[in-house]
Amino acid sequence: MKTILIFVSTLDGKITKWDNPNVKSWSSKEDQDSFDKLWVNNRLIVLGSKTFNFDPIKPSPDHLLVIMTGQPSNYKKYEVSGQLEFRNDSPKELIKHFEKEGYEVMLVVGGAHIATSFLKEKLIDELWLTIEPKIFGTGINFVIEEKLDINLELISCKSANKQGTLFTKYSIIKR
Ligand SMILES: NC(=O)c1ccc[n+]([C@@H]2O[C@H](COP(=O)([O-])OP(=O)(O)OC[C@H]3O[C@@H](n4cnc5c(N)ncnc54)[C@H](OP(=O)(O)O)[C@@H]3O)[C@@H](O)[C@H]2O)c1
């Protein structure tokens, strides 16, 4: 199974503007359209409980949304089996489980804690990062403050609009 990490960040690596979790308040229309397309075209989507809590996503038969949390029992009221599931699995266990179920692609859509826990175990195959030409100075970085040493290789980079929003794709070098 291919695991793809998706983020939109500023030039200074922020995935939130200061302490505001509403990403759509600053990301470009082009990024939002591209994210919507990704959402439509992928079934298995994984995110952290903090990202979910900011904007609880509605279940849909078109997707299996997996929320990673240490306390799945707190989310019973949201749970819809096969559509919106809350799991207390490690990233490795999660990948193994869904590989067995026959999934070919897993989108990991944040936030920073979840991204870091996958990245540090080298469980991400590609990073698809939109870079907005903005600098916020403070906000959440797309990885948390930990010692990491991850090398990536650029697959593609294209300018999405006049202002210079960049759609980048990197593969993670695992050697
Ligand atoms: N710009 C973007 O593209 C983008 C994308 C996504 C999110 N965001 C922003 O990112 C912020 C949230 O990021 P975040 O880093 O604070 O939270 P997060 O990564 O969304 O969620 C972290 C939480 O997930 C749970 N968890 C379960 N298993 C875990 C594991 N293996 N490793 C780490 N956490 C695990 C823990 O909570 P419990 O166990 O207590 O449930 C943990 O506190 C929001 O402000 C959101 O708007 C931005």
Side-chain angles (χ1 to χ4, degrees), residues 31 72 78:
D31 176 68
Y78 294 109

Side-chain angles (χ1 to χ4, degrees), residues 17-49:
K17 183 175 186 180
W18 313 329
D19 54 3
N20 180 357
N22 183 2
V23 174
K24 289 193 173 170
S25 69
W26 56 268
S27 61
S28 59
K29 183 182 178 308
E30 289 76 11
D31 176 68
Q32 291 175 25
D33 290 348
S34 147
F35 188 74
D36 289 348
K37 241 186 236 164
L38 270 180
W39 196 274
V40 168
N41 292 329
N42 285 279
R43 177 154 174 81
L44 179 60
I45 299 173
V46 173
L47 56 151
S49 64

Side-chain angles (χ1 to χ4, degrees), residues 1 3 91-99 106 118 123:
M1 185 169 65
T3 53
K92 212 175 253 166
E93 288 166 338
L94 211 59
I95 289 175
K96 217 168 147 192
H97 174 82
F98 288 110
E99 239 162 19
M106 176 191 274
F118 277 82
L123 296 172

Side-chain angles (χ1 to χ4, degrees):
M1 185 169 65
K2 185 170 177 175
T3 53
I4 305 172
L5 178 62
I6 313 286
F7 271 124
V8 55
S9 91
T10 63
L11 282 169
D12 57 337
K14 304 299 177 201
I15 60 163
T16 62
K17 183 175 186 180
W18 313 329
D19 54 3
N20 180 357
N22 183 2
V23 174
K24 289 193 173 170
S25 69
W26 56 268
S27 61
S28 59
K29 183 182 178 308
E30 289 76 11
D31 176 68
Q32 291 175 25
D33 290 348
S34 147
F35 188 74
D36 289 348
K37 241 186 236 164
L38 270 180
W39 196 274
V40 168
N41 292 329
N42 285 279
R43 177 154 174 81
L44 179 60
I45 299 173
V46 173
L47 56 151
S49 64
K50 285 197 179 150
T51 298
F52 174 80
N53 286 333
F54 162 64
D55 184 15
I57 310 154
K58 297 216 166 46
S60 127
D62 299 333
H63 296 106
L64 173 51
L65 302 168
V66 179
I67 319 302
M68 295 178 73
T69 173
Q71 277 98 35
S73 57
N74 289 354
Y75 295 90
K76 281 270 174 265
K77 64 172 178 179
Y78 294 109
E79 184 110 28
V80 178
S81 178
Q83 296 184 19
L84 182 55
E85 297 185 356
F86 297 82
R87 301 182 69 103
N88 181 14
D89 290 332
S90 70
K92 212 175 253 166
E93 288 166 338
L94 211 59
I95 289 175
K96 217 168 147 192
H97 174 82
F98 288 110
E99 239 162 19
K100 261 198 201 151
E101 301 244 308
Y103 284 93
E104 289 177 359
V105 179
M106 176 191 274
L107 292 189
V108 180
V109 298
H113 283 83
I114 293 303
T116 308
S117 66
F118 277 82
L119 279 168
K120 73 181 180 193
E121 292 194 56
K122 296 206 187 280
L123 296 172
I124 296 293
D125 298 303
E126 291 184 9
L127 167 65
W128 293 6
L129 178 67
T130 299
I131 304 169
E132 298 290 2
K134 294 176 182 293
I135 294 172
F136 291 154
T138 70
I140 298 179
N141 294 323
F142 76 77
V143 287
I144 61 169
E145 216 166 289
E146 266 198 38
K147 277 188 182 160
L148 299 171
D149 186 5
I150 297 167
N151 294 300
L152 302 93
E153 188 175 334
L154 185 67
I155 300 169
S156 64
C157 175
K158 72 175 193 214
S159 181
N161 55 26
K162 229 172 147 189
Q163 204 186 335
T165 295
L166 297 178
F167 288 159
T168 70
K169 289 187 181 178
Y170 289 88
S171 61
I172 311 287
I173 300 172
K174 297 191 182 181
R175 311 185 280 281

